[in-house]
Amino acid sequence: MSAQGFANSEQGDILEVSLEKIEGLLKGDYGVSKRTIGLLLLQGDDEITALAESREPDNMSEIKEIINYTGKHYVQPLSYIITLRRQEEASRITGIAVEHLPKANLAFREKLSRVMINPLTGVPILLFVLYYGIYKFVGEFGAGTLVDFIETGIFEKNINPWATQIIKPIIPWQAVRELFVGEYGMITLGVRYAVAIILPVVTTFFVAFAIIEDAGYLPRLALLIDRLFKKIGLTGRAVIPMVLGLGCDTMATMVTRTLPTKRERIIATILLALAVPCSAQLGVILSLLEGNPRGLTVWACAVSLVFLLVGFLSAQILPGDSPSFYMEIPPLRMPKLSNVFIKTYTRVKWYFTEIFPMFILASVLIWIGQLTGLFNLLVKALHSPMRWIGLPDQTAVAFLFGFFRRDYGAAGLYDMKKAALLNGNQLVVACIALTLFLPCIAQFLMNVKERGYKTGVAISVFVLFFSFSAGFLVNFILNILGVSL
Amino acid sequence: MKIAIVGSPNVGKSVMFNRLTGSYVTVSNYPGTTVEVSRGRAKIGGWEFEVFDTPGMYSLLPITEEERVARSLLFQEKPDVVIHIIDAKNIERMLPLTLQLIEAKLPVILVLNIIDEAEKIGMRISLEYLSRELKVPVAATVSTTGRGIDILRGRIEEYVRAGIRQ
């Protein structure tokens, strides 16, 4: 009998002797060695025990006796002893096979890794990553430089006039013409928003995300943020859907599947729907509040406060305990250009093929809504809540668009800012309300799909109510304090 | 003929699966569970193989549903080659599963994946010693870059050839 693969058991060892006896008693065919089956039986594996009971009608009682008898000879459970012996064997083999050469590089990486996890040093690093990764790169470069270039340089100067010129002689009816090149036309609005505003923002976000992912920063962020997340009923594991939510909440809601309990998945879904702005929104909001650092601070504080408060309250209300959290930490490494490129490419491709039709569809729906007057009715219905939170009536259009695509709504506000229709306070209030506002239709559908009809709709109604209340409150506070941003 | 890919989570199983199979991959739930199993085809040394990627497992004594499914697949599908993929730098912690697979008399090939990271932290692993001691073929790979994949294919081919001769 070869002991290979198990242990250097001595002859006469009770476990080994029992195992050999059991092997002798096993008559059925199990597809694997009798030794494996014998070991699993000794370790009390339910599935294999049930299998053996059906295949060993004559010998099973004797086998059970041997298992009982063997178990009594050891203080610890047999599974523990077997695992321990196997690990000893593995350690013996690796001890000979593996040679460790000293490497100075490791020390630095290990130090950097610890610095990232320690709250004292980790939080400044996180802020640094957010400032350069999100604010500078996505906000200023993506949503600023790139959007300006594509929108003004390419669309407004070239594509829009060109499309209008081509469509005009072909389609004589004003109403149908509007569908393509009108104020909310498929080309002038749908394609322009998708390509000029959303594409650069989302692409720069996914580049930033791929870099921090490939560098191995995310698991360290998970450990850093674990303690805070425990307070809001989540664990460090939720860091990936949350960071991903900064890219696309719809995708992030899908990724909440990786969370182990239903409770965590519900909390994460609520927070994503409410207080995590997606990259498209983020980009437009950052460019809306560009040059207004106080406004940006108020917005950031209000949204963070809502995130923590709602998370904390959900954790109190929803039954169940926070699960334990542990994670394997891969080493830090230099991000590889090809990895970053492939990750960004596949994500942008996925995202764009998913949202592009949505934008066109939104344009068509708005066109139908306008033609039938339904849209005006809805916009009018939204006027009073708008006034209630101190915003001009036109904002209603942006909010309604927001439902078709949240970023679409934020982009609508962008147009209003350019036309100087909003003052500083109104801009901040609108940004807060829109950040919190009803998820876009895609995310709404995803909520219902992942959380079920009842929970999905309930979350959406809650978010709708909450966003306006928060907008109202911020507007109220700003007015009382006499602050103008 | 069938190839099974086994190993604990996060060792690059899926990447290796994609390396070996290319396109024509089907993903289905294991009957009665939510655990997904990917299957694809590979052509190695003139043979057609059905390759399946098992859910992550740490031991043949299962704790999670994934591990139960992985074990059922291994026991029931009678694979001609079982590729056990481990993270080379964690070899000491992952070798016990190799020992269990060998003990079960499954046709194991041990793959030390992510060998570049192990080298980077100063580990030198003797493949010859491992192969001699365990009496199974051993290959070192980096599935993300493709390093060592042709050697692994060669090992699979030799293994199947030797199996046929017996």
PDB file of all heavy atoms in Angstrom, chain A residues 391-420:
ATOM      1  N   LEU A 391     -35.919  75.313  -7.604  1.00  0.00           N
ATOM      2  CA  LEU A 391     -35.295  75.261  -8.932  1.00  0.00           C
ATOM      3  C   LEU A 391     -36.234  75.815  -9.984  1.00  0.00           C
ATOM      4  O   LEU A 391     -37.459  75.739  -9.839  1.00  0.00           O
ATOM      5  CB  LEU A 391     -34.928  73.822  -9.281  1.00  0.00           C
ATOM      6  CG  LEU A 391     -33.863  73.167  -8.419  1.00  0.00           C
ATOM      7  CD1 LEU A 391     -33.646  71.741  -8.854  1.00  0.00           C
ATOM      8  CD2 LEU A 391     -32.568  73.949  -8.461  1.00  0.00           C
ATOM      9  N   PRO A 392     -35.680  76.384 -11.061  1.00  0.00           N
ATOM     10  CA  PRO A 392     -36.546  76.876 -12.138  1.00  0.00           C
ATOM     11  C   PRO A 392     -37.279  75.725 -12.836  1.00  0.00           C
ATOM     12  O   PRO A 392     -36.816  74.585 -12.807  1.00  0.00           O
ATOM     13  CB  PRO A 392     -35.566  77.555 -13.107  1.00  0.00           C
ATOM     14  CG  PRO A 392     -34.235  77.001 -12.775  1.00  0.00           C
ATOM     15  CD  PRO A 392     -34.264  76.626 -11.329  1.00  0.00           C
ATOM     16  N   ASP A 393     -38.397  76.063 -13.474  1.00  0.00           N
ATOM     17  CA  ASP A 393     -39.245  75.038 -14.102  1.00  0.00           C
ATOM     18  C   ASP A 393     -38.507  74.189 -15.128  1.00  0.00           C
ATOM     19  O   ASP A 393     -38.761  73.000 -15.261  1.00  0.00           O
ATOM     20  CB  ASP A 393     -40.449  75.707 -14.783  1.00  0.00           C
ATOM     21  CG  ASP A 393     -41.397  76.300 -13.747  1.00  0.00           C
ATOM     22  OD1 ASP A 393     -41.166  76.032 -12.537  1.00  0.00           O
ATOM     23  OD2 ASP A 393     -42.329  77.004 -14.141  1.00  0.00           O
ATOM     24  N   GLN A 394     -37.578  74.835 -15.855  1.00  0.00           N
ATOM     25  CA  GLN A 394     -36.913  74.093 -16.937  1.00  0.00           C
ATOM     26  C   GLN A 394     -36.166  72.853 -16.428  1.00  0.00           C
ATOM     27  O   GLN A 394     -35.926  71.908 -17.167  1.00  0.00           O
ATOM     28  CB  GLN A 394     -35.891  74.978 -17.681  1.00  0.00           C
ATOM     29  CG  GLN A 394     -36.500  76.080 -18.489  1.00  0.00           C
ATOM     30  CD  GLN A 394     -36.443  77.388 -17.709  1.00  0.00           C
ATOM     31  OE1 GLN A 394     -36.823  77.445 -16.536  1.00  0.00           O
ATOM     32  NE2 GLN A 394     -35.970  78.431 -18.350  1.00  0.00           N
ATOM     33  N   THR A 395     -35.792  72.889 -15.138  1.00  0.00           N
ATOM     34  CA  THR A 395     -35.051  71.759 -14.581  1.00  0.00           C
ATOM     35  C   THR A 395     -35.861  70.474 -14.684  1.00  0.00           C
ATOM     36  O   THR A 395     -35.303  69.383 -14.746  1.00  0.00           O
ATOM     37  CB  THR A 395     -34.717  72.015 -13.100  1.00  0.00           C
ATOM     38  OG1 THR A 395     -34.750  73.407 -12.872  1.00  0.00           O
ATOM     39  CG2 THR A 395     -33.374  71.458 -12.755  1.00  0.00           C
ATOM     40  N   ALA A 396     -37.185  70.598 -14.693  1.00  0.00           N
ATOM     41  CA  ALA A 396     -38.053  69.429 -14.759  1.00  0.00           C
ATOM     42  C   ALA A 396     -37.694  68.557 -15.961  1.00  0.00           C
ATOM     43  O   ALA A 396     -37.716  67.329 -15.879  1.00  0.00           O
ATOM     44  CB  ALA A 396     -39.511  69.853 -14.826  1.00  0.00           C
ATOM     45  N   VAL A 397     -37.350  69.205 -17.067  1.00  0.00           N
ATOM     46  CA  VAL A 397     -36.997  68.456 -18.280  1.00  0.00           C
ATOM     47  C   VAL A 397     -35.782  67.568 -18.001  1.00  0.00           C
ATOM     48  O   VAL A 397     -35.785  66.374 -18.301  1.00  0.00           O
ATOM     49  CB  VAL A 397     -36.701  69.416 -19.442  1.00  0.00           C
ATOM     50  CG1 VAL A 397     -36.337  68.642 -20.690  1.00  0.00           C
ATOM     51  CG2 VAL A 397     -37.894  70.315 -19.698  1.00  0.00           C
ATOM     52  N   ALA A 398     -34.769  68.175 -17.372  1.00  0.00           N
ATOM     53  CA  ALA A 398     -33.551  67.419 -17.060  1.00  0.00           C
ATOM     54  C   ALA A 398     -33.870  66.243 -16.137  1.00  0.00           C
ATOM     55  O   ALA A 398     -33.338  65.144 -16.301  1.00  0.00           O
ATOM     56  CB  ALA A 398     -32.515  68.326 -16.419  1.00  0.00           C
ATOM     57  N   PHE A 399     -34.756  66.475 -15.174  1.00  0.00           N
ATOM     58  CA  PHE A 399     -35.085  65.399 -14.234  1.00  0.00           C
ATOM     59  C   PHE A 399     -35.845  64.275 -14.926  1.00  0.00           C
ATOM     60  O   PHE A 399     -35.627  63.108 -14.644  1.00  0.00           O
ATOM     61  CB  PHE A 399     -35.896  65.940 -13.049  1.00  0.00           C
ATOM     62  CG  PHE A 399     -35.012  66.456 -11.965  1.00  0.00           C
ATOM     63  CD1 PHE A 399     -34.332  67.648 -12.121  1.00  0.00           C
ATOM     64  CD2 PHE A 399     -34.830  65.737 -10.799  1.00  0.00           C
ATOM     65  CE1 PHE A 399     -33.493  68.121 -11.140  1.00  0.00           C
ATOM     66  CE2 PHE A 399     -33.998  66.202  -9.801  1.00  0.00           C
ATOM     67  CZ  PHE A 399     -33.320  67.407  -9.970  1.00  0.00           C
ATOM     68  N   LEU A 400     -36.735  64.635 -15.824  1.00  0.00           N
ATOM     69  CA  LEU A 400     -37.497  63.605 -16.522  1.00  0.00           C
ATOM     70  C   LEU A 400     -36.574  62.804 -17.436  1.00  0.00           C
ATOM     71  O   LEU A 400     -36.643  61.571 -17.483  1.00  0.00           O
ATOM     72  CB  LEU A 400     -38.622  64.251 -17.335  1.00  0.00           C
ATOM     73  CG  LEU A 400     -39.678  63.259 -17.816  1.00  0.00           C
ATOM     74  CD1 LEU A 400     -40.383  62.626 -16.636  1.00  0.00           C
ATOM     75  CD2 LEU A 400     -40.667  63.921 -18.734  1.00  0.00           C
ATOM     76  N   PHE A 401     -35.687  63.510 -18.125  1.00  0.00           N
ATOM     77  CA  PHE A 401     -34.693  62.822 -18.952  1.00  0.00           C
ATOM     78  C   PHE A 401     -33.897  61.864 -18.085  1.00  0.00           C
ATOM     79  O   PHE A 401     -33.523  60.783 -18.498  1.00  0.00           O
ATOM     80  CB  PHE A 401     -33.699  63.825 -19.544  1.00  0.00           C
ATOM     81  CG  PHE A 401     -34.213  64.557 -20.731  1.00  0.00           C
ATOM     82  CD1 PHE A 401     -35.556  64.581 -21.015  1.00  0.00           C
ATOM     83  CD2 PHE A 401     -33.331  65.207 -21.566  1.00  0.00           C
ATOM     84  CE1 PHE A 401     -36.019  65.268 -22.112  1.00  0.00           C
ATOM     85  CE2 PHE A 401     -33.786  65.888 -22.673  1.00  0.00           C
ATOM     86  CZ  PHE A 401     -35.130  65.928 -22.945  1.00  0.00           C
ATOM     87  N   GLY A 402     -33.641  62.335 -16.874  1.00  0.00           N
ATOM     88  CA  GLY A 402     -32.821  61.558 -15.948  1.00  0.00           C
ATOM     89  C   GLY A 402     -33.333  60.156 -15.773  1.00  0.00           C
ATOM     90  O   GLY A 402     -32.550  59.236 -15.546  1.00  0.00           O
ATOM     91  N   PHE A 403     -34.634  59.970 -15.888  1.00  0.00           N
ATOM     92  CA  PHE A 403     -35.152  58.631 -15.692  1.00  0.00           C
ATOM     93  C   PHE A 403     -34.784  57.721 -16.850  1.00  0.00           C
ATOM     94  O   PHE A 403     -34.546  56.535 -16.678  1.00  0.00           O
ATOM     95  CB  PHE A 403     -36.655  58.647 -15.509  1.00  0.00           C
ATOM     96  CG  PHE A 403     -37.196  57.286 -15.205  1.00  0.00           C
ATOM     97  CD1 PHE A 403     -36.858  56.651 -14.023  1.00  0.00           C
ATOM     98  CD2 PHE A 403     -37.994  56.617 -16.098  1.00  0.00           C
ATOM     99  CE1 PHE A 403     -37.317  55.378 -13.742  1.00  0.00           C
ATOM    100  CE2 PHE A 403     -38.462  55.345 -15.835  1.00  0.00           C
ATOM    101  CZ  PHE A 403     -38.123  54.731 -14.648  1.00  0.00           C
ATOM    102  N   PHE A 404     -34.725  58.291 -18.042  1.00  0.00           N
ATOM    103  CA  PHE A 404     -34.354  57.460 -19.178  1.00  0.00           C
ATOM    104  C   PHE A 404     -32.893  57.076 -19.086  1.00  0.00           C
ATOM    105  O   PHE A 404     -32.479  56.008 -19.496  1.00  0.00           O
ATOM    106  CB  PHE A 404     -34.664  58.180 -20.493  1.00  0.00           C
ATOM    107  CG  PHE A 404     -36.128  58.338 -20.676  1.00  0.00           C
ATOM    108  CD1 PHE A 404     -36.736  59.572 -20.497  1.00  0.00           C
ATOM    109  CD2 PHE A 404     -36.920  57.244 -20.965  1.00  0.00           C
ATOM    110  CE1 PHE A 404     -38.103  59.703 -20.623  1.00  0.00           C
ATOM    111  CE2 PHE A 404     -38.291  57.378 -21.093  1.00  0.00           C
ATOM    112  CZ  PHE A 404     -38.880  58.606 -20.922  1.00  0.00           C
ATOM    113  N   ARG A 405     -32.136  57.977 -18.523  1.00  0.00           N
ATOM    114  CA  ARG A 405     -30.731  57.689 -18.308  1.00  0.00           C
ATOM    115  C   ARG A 405     -30.255  58.766 -17.361  1.00  0.00           C
ATOM    116  O   ARG A 405     -30.352  59.946 -17.685  1.00  0.00           O
ATOM    117  CB  ARG A 405     -29.988  57.757 -19.652  1.00  0.00           C
ATOM    118  CG  ARG A 405     -28.638  57.150 -19.644  1.00  0.00           C
ATOM    119  CD  ARG A 405     -28.700  55.644 -19.657  1.00  0.00           C
ATOM    120  NE  ARG A 405     -27.533  55.129 -18.970  1.00  0.00           N
ATOM    121  CZ  ARG A 405     -27.270  53.849 -18.838  1.00  0.00           C
ATOM    122  NH1 ARG A 405     -28.072  52.960 -19.317  1.00  0.00           N
ATOM    123  NH2 ARG A 405     -26.206  53.470 -18.193  1.00  0.00           N
ATOM    124  N   ARG A 406     -29.731  58.387 -16.185  1.00  0.00           N
ATOM    125  CA  ARG A 406     -29.392  59.398 -15.198  1.00  0.00           C
ATOM    126  C   ARG A 406     -28.407  60.426 -15.749  1.00  0.00           C
ATOM    127  O   ARG A 406     -28.543  61.610 -15.551  1.00  0.00           O
ATOM    128  CB  ARG A 406     -28.797  58.737 -13.959  1.00  0.00           C
ATOM    129  CG  ARG A 406     -29.822  58.587 -12.861  1.00  0.00           C
ATOM    130  CD  ARG A 406     -29.190  58.750 -11.520  1.00  0.00           C
ATOM    131  NE  ARG A 406     -28.526  57.534 -11.131  1.00  0.00           N
ATOM    132  CZ  ARG A 406     -28.174  57.287  -9.875  1.00  0.00           C
ATOM    133  NH1 ARG A 406     -28.442  58.166  -8.932  1.00  0.00           N
ATOM    134  NH2 ARG A 406     -27.557  56.188  -9.576  1.00  0.00           N
ATOM    135  N   ASP A 407     -27.424  59.915 -16.450  1.00  0.00           N
ATOM    136  CA  ASP A 407     -26.404  60.798 -17.018  1.00  0.00           C
ATOM    137  C   ASP A 407     -27.016  61.762 -18.042  1.00  0.00           C
ATOM    138  O   ASP A 407     -26.571  62.878 -18.208  1.00  0.00           O
ATOM    139  CB  ASP A 407     -25.289  59.964 -17.657  1.00  0.00           C
ATOM    140  CG  ASP A 407     -25.821  58.682 -18.241  1.00  0.00           C
ATOM    141  OD1 ASP A 407     -26.960  58.705 -18.738  1.00  0.00           O
ATOM    142  OD2 ASP A 407     -25.122  57.656 -18.195  1.00  0.00           O
ATOM    143  N   TYR A 408     -28.051  61.277 -18.714  1.00  0.00           N
ATOM    144  CA  TYR A 408     -28.761  62.081 -19.699  1.00  0.00           C
ATOM    145  C   TYR A 408     -29.344  63.311 -19.013  1.00  0.00           C
ATOM    146  O   TYR A 408     -29.282  64.424 -19.519  1.00  0.00           O
ATOM    147  CB  TYR A 408     -29.889  61.199 -20.220  1.00  0.00           C
ATOM    148  CG  TYR A 408     -30.382  61.438 -21.610  1.00  0.00           C
ATOM    149  CD1 TYR A 408     -29.972  60.598 -22.631  1.00  0.00           C
ATOM    150  CD2 TYR A 408     -31.307  62.427 -21.882  1.00  0.00           C
ATOM    151  CE1 TYR A 408     -30.476  60.760 -23.896  1.00  0.00           C
ATOM    152  CE2 TYR A 408     -31.817  62.590 -23.151  1.00  0.00           C
ATOM    153  CZ  TYR A 408     -31.397  61.753 -24.162  1.00  0.00           C
ATOM    154  OH  TYR A 408     -31.903  61.895 -25.402  1.00  0.00           O
ATOM    155  N   GLY A 409     -29.898  63.102 -17.812  1.00  0.00           N
ATOM    156  CA  GLY A 409     -30.459  64.209 -17.050  1.00  0.00           C
ATOM    157  C   GLY A 409     -29.395  65.202 -16.635  1.00  0.00           C
ATOM    158  O   GLY A 409     -29.558  66.420 -16.770  1.00  0.00           O
ATOM    159  N   ALA A 410     -28.255  64.648 -16.157  1.00  0.00           N
ATOM    160  CA  ALA A 410     -27.165  65.523 -15.745  1.00  0.00           C
ATOM    161  C   ALA A 410     -26.667  66.326 -16.941  1.00  0.00           C
ATOM    162  O   ALA A 410     -26.353  67.510 -16.839  1.00  0.00           O
ATOM    163  CB  ALA A 410     -26.033  64.697 -15.143  1.00  0.00           C
ATOM    164  N   ALA A 411     -26.627  65.685 -18.104  1.00  0.00           N
ATOM    165  CA  ALA A 411     -26.192  66.386 -19.304  1.00  0.00           C
ATOM    166  C   ALA A 411     -27.171  67.495 -19.665  1.00  0.00           C
ATOM    167  O   ALA A 411     -26.776  68.545 -20.185  1.00  0.00           O
ATOM    168  CB  ALA A 411     -26.054  65.394 -20.460  1.00  0.00           C
ATOM    169  N   GLY A 412     -28.446  67.292 -19.357  1.00  0.00           N
ATOM    170  CA  GLY A 412     -29.449  68.333 -19.592  1.00  0.00           C
ATOM    171  C   GLY A 412     -29.173  69.562 -18.740  1.00  0.00           C
ATOM    172  O   GLY A 412     -29.309  70.705 -19.190  1.00  0.00           O
ATOM    173  N   LEU A 413     -28.770  69.304 -17.497  1.00  0.00           N
ATOM    174  CA  LEU A 413     -28.421  70.413 -16.609  1.00  0.00           C
ATOM    175  C   LEU A 413     -27.221  71.187 -17.160  1.00  0.00           C
ATOM    176  O   LEU A 413     -27.128  72.399 -17.026  1.00  0.00           O
ATOM    177  CB  LEU A 413     -28.064  69.886 -15.217  1.00  0.00           C
ATOM    178  CG  LEU A 413     -29.206  69.497 -14.295  1.00  0.00           C
ATOM    179  CD1 LEU A 413     -28.636  69.048 -12.968  1.00  0.00           C
ATOM    180  CD2 LEU A 413     -30.155  70.666 -14.096  1.00  0.00           C
ATOM    181  N   TYR A 414     -26.311  70.435 -17.745  1.00  0.00           N
ATOM    182  CA  TYR A 414     -25.113  71.017 -18.318  1.00  0.00           C
ATOM    183  C   TYR A 414     -25.486  72.062 -19.380  1.00  0.00           C
ATOM    184  O   TYR A 414     -24.931  73.148 -19.417  1.00  0.00           O
ATOM    185  CB  TYR A 414     -24.278  69.888 -18.919  1.00  0.00           C
ATOM    186  CG  TYR A 414     -22.951  70.303 -19.473  1.00  0.00           C
ATOM    187  CD1 TYR A 414     -21.934  70.710 -18.620  1.00  0.00           C
ATOM    188  CD2 TYR A 414     -22.714  70.269 -20.835  1.00  0.00           C
ATOM    189  CE1 TYR A 414     -20.709  71.081 -19.122  1.00  0.00           C
ATOM    190  CE2 TYR A 414     -21.501  70.631 -21.349  1.00  0.00           C
ATOM    191  CZ  TYR A 414     -20.491  71.034 -20.497  1.00  0.00           C
ATOM    192  OH  TYR A 414     -19.282  71.401 -20.997  1.00  0.00           O
ATOM    193  N   ASP A 415     -26.468  71.698 -20.200  1.00  0.00           N
ATOM    194  CA  ASP A 415     -26.947  72.647 -21.207  1.00  0.00           C
ATOM    195  C   ASP A 415     -27.522  73.896 -20.546  1.00  0.00           C
ATOM    196  O   ASP A 415     -27.345  75.010 -21.027  1.00  0.00           O
ATOM    197  CB  ASP A 415     -28.026  72.000 -22.087  1.00  0.00           C
ATOM    198  CG  ASP A 415     -27.406  71.074 -23.131  1.00  0.00           C
ATOM    199  OD1 ASP A 415     -26.162  71.080 -23.246  1.00  0.00           O
ATOM    200  OD2 ASP A 415     -28.159  70.364 -23.809  1.00  0.00           O
ATOM    201  N   MET A 416     -28.230  73.707 -19.420  1.00  0.00           N
ATOM    202  CA  MET A 416     -28.835  74.843 -18.726  1.00  0.00           C
ATOM    203  C   MET A 416     -27.776  75.752 -18.112  1.00  0.00           C
ATOM    204  O   MET A 416     -27.930  76.959 -18.065  1.00  0.00           O
ATOM    205  CB  MET A 416     -29.782  74.357 -17.631  1.00  0.00           C
ATOM    206  CG  MET A 416     -31.079  73.809 -18.178  1.00  0.00           C
ATOM    207  SD  MET A 416     -32.209  73.322 -16.881  1.00  0.00           S
ATOM    208  CE  MET A 416     -32.656  74.891 -16.193  1.00  0.00           C
ATOM    209  N   LYS A 417     -26.708  75.125 -17.618  1.00  0.00           N
ATOM    210  CA  LYS A 417     -25.648  75.945 -17.029  1.00  0.00           C
ATOM    211  C   LYS A 417     -25.003  76.800 -18.106  1.00  0.00           C
ATOM    212  O   LYS A 417     -24.704  77.974 -17.901  1.00  0.00           O
ATOM    213  CB  LYS A 417     -24.597  75.056 -16.361  1.00  0.00           C
ATOM    214  CG  LYS A 417     -23.565  75.878 -15.583  1.00  0.00           C
ATOM    215  CD  LYS A 417     -22.227  75.196 -15.516  1.00  0.00           C
ATOM    216  CE  LYS A 417     -21.200  76.070 -14.806  1.00  0.00           C
ATOM    217  NZ  LYS A 417     -19.862  75.495 -14.888  1.00  0.00           N
ATOM    218  N   LYS A 418     -24.828  76.183 -19.267  1.00  0.00           N
ATOM    219  CA  LYS A 418     -24.204  76.908 -20.364  1.00  0.00           C
ATOM    220  C   LYS A 418     -25.066  78.101 -20.777  1.00  0.00           C
ATOM    221  O   LYS A 418     -24.557  79.130 -21.190  1.00  0.00           O
ATOM    222  CB  LYS A 418     -23.957  75.988 -21.556  1.00  0.00           C
ATOM    223  CG  LYS A 418     -22.593  75.361 -21.438  1.00  0.00           C
ATOM    224  CD  LYS A 418     -22.082  74.455 -22.516  1.00  0.00           C
ATOM    225  CE  LYS A 418     -22.459  74.523 -23.921  1.00  0.00           C
ATOM    226  NZ  LYS A 418     -22.005  73.373 -24.707  1.00  0.00           N
ATOM    227  N   ALA A 419     -26.382  77.946 -20.630  1.00  0.00           N
ATOM    228  CA  ALA A 419     -27.289  79.042 -20.974  1.00  0.00           C
ATOM    229  C   ALA A 419     -27.481  79.986 -19.790  1.00  0.00           C
ATOM    230  O   ALA A 419     -28.309  80.888 -19.839  1.00  0.00           O
ATOM    231  CB  ALA A 419     -28.631  78.473 -21.420  1.00  0.00           C
ATOM    232  N   ALA A 420     -26.724  79.777 -18.693  1.00  0.00           N
ATOM    233  CA  ALA A 420     -26.770  80.629 -17.498  1.00  0.00           C
ATOM    234  C   ALA A 420     -28.163  80.731 -16.906  1.00  0.00           C
ATOM    235  O   ALA A 420     -28.627  81.805 -16.531  1.00  0.00           O
ATOM    236  CB  ALA A 420     -26.206  82.010 -17.802  1.00  0.00           C
TER     237      ALA A 420
END
